[in-house]
Amino acid sequence: AIIRDVAERHNLEPGDLKKRSRKRWFAWARQEYMWLAYQEGRWTYAQIGMPVGGLDHTTVIHGIRAHADRHGVRRP
């Protein structure tokens, strides 16, 4: 549900979040998903990364922190 909502907000298809592209609009959407999933508090970093192309925990941590820094919210 989070992936679908984020993709819709960014005018992307849910499958676009799984792409390996580093283009800003894909990366920022993935990072927003990671932040929102992290805020839910239900999943490990590895579980957060699985639906978006199997990202490892360090990539997920970076994505969460990048989103937090960009939006001026508390970093994990």
Side-chain angles (χ1 to χ4, degrees), residues 20-30:
R20 286 273 204 222
S21 176
R22 292 184 182 183
K23 292 189 181 206
R24 184 181 309 158
W25 52 88
F26 294 124
W28 285 10
R30 273 193 303 272

Side-chain angles (χ1 to χ4, degrees), residues 2-45:
I2 296 172
I3 290 176
R4 186 185 65 244
D5 293 342
V6 169
E8 188 174 302
R9 191 171 22 259
H10 289 269
N11 295 318
L12 300 171
E13 294 295 322
D16 290 340
L17 297 182
K18 296 179 184 180
K19 292 183 178 179
R20 286 273 204 222
S21 176
R22 292 184 182 183
K23 292 189 181 206
R24 184 181 309 158
W25 52 88
F26 294 124
W28 285 10
R30 273 193 303 272
Q31 290 170 355
E32 181 178 340
Y33 153 75
M34 291 179 223
W35 170 257
L36 292 171
Y38 171 76
Q39 290 299 305
E40 288 280 325
R42 298 183 203 176
W43 303 289
T44 65
Y45 293 129

Side-chain angles (χ1 to χ4, degrees), residues 42-76:
R42 298 183 203 176
W43 303 289
T44 65
Y45 293 129
Q47 290 171 325
I48 292 170
M50 286 305 296
V52 287
L55 301 175
D56 70 5
H57 73 282
T58 57
T59 305
V60 173
I61 292 168
H62 169 77
I64 292 168
R65 289 179 176 171
H67 181 80
D69 290 347
R70 194 168 42 255
H71 294 282
V73 294
R74 187 181 64 82
R75 285 177 66 165

